[in-house]
Amino acid sequence: MLVLLPPSEGKAASGRGASLKPESLSLPGLAPARAAVLDELVELCQADEEKAREVLGLSVGLRGEVGKNTELRTAGARPAGELYTGVLYDALDLASLETAARRRAATSLLVFSGLWGAVRIGDRIPPYRCSMGVKLPGLGALGAYWRTPMETVLPEAAGNGLVLDLRSSAYAAAWKPKGEVASRTASVRVLHSQLVGGVEKRSVVSHFNKATKGRLVRDLLLAGARPKGPAQLVEVLRDLGYVVEAEAPARDGRPWSLDVVVTEIH
């Protein structure tokens, strides 16, 4: 099983230990593309702080993030699973997983990134600021830029198993499974169900959507679940206590759509 995750804007304040070693990152087929994004991002941030802030979509109060990007090659790095600290990762709580579940996480979780393309949770990277929605002056929109290298590398990473896609739309744009890989891909969204005047209303609540996805991945890792495809994933999630509504694709070569329905927000 390969689980596709978004990163988080929230990150550990600083890296620790040795600096970035690009050659040590997983998915080496992405190395040339990573180098190109890293070079332009560092150059942009070193040359003009205000322009960099605008390109990165940062408020005046976050101008310090530009400075962090200038030090990407020398700053201390830490495993991606420790670096990201947002809602999804808080709920996933990788550090508290038992040994077997942690090993499963290391081989099955893949975090998408505007700067790195995609990394595994054990890959050591420094704190950075560069979302997939950024449009760099030279390389252009990163969501589109990453599609070409991803087309070769990601199907290989997916192997023959289930692909569980939990990415947000901006990161999903960087790689869309096709053909046979798409047929064993399940895309999940979380819906909050509540009664309003006796009528059920459903909505997507961003914060809770992320938290539920984090808990869902954690439960799968702890259970040691190995669903072979979307239909089996639905069964596993229901056994774990989730309310799941599944929609099989109308045609072959398309991903499944799964709705996880919750009634409590926490």
Side-chain angles (χ1 to χ4, degrees), residues 18 34 45 49 57 64 69 84 91 123 139 146 165 175-176 178 185 187 194-195 236 244-245 248 253 262-263 266:
R34 287 172 178 150
C45 292
E49 182 183 87
N69 283 348
Y84 296 113
D123 287 336
L139 297 176
W146 281 111
D165 192 352
W175 180 60
K176 296 183 179 180
K178 298 178 182 177
T185 297
S187 179
Q194 56 184 329
L195 290 178
V236 169
V244 183
E245 297 177 357
V262 298
T263 55
H266 59 88

Side-chain angles (χ1 to χ4, degrees), residues 75-97:
R78 65 171 68 208
E82 297 178 12
L83 183 71
Y84 296 113
T85 60
V87 174
L88 187 154
Y89 294 90
D90 287 345
L92 176 54
D93 195 8
L94 289 166
S96 70
L97 289 175

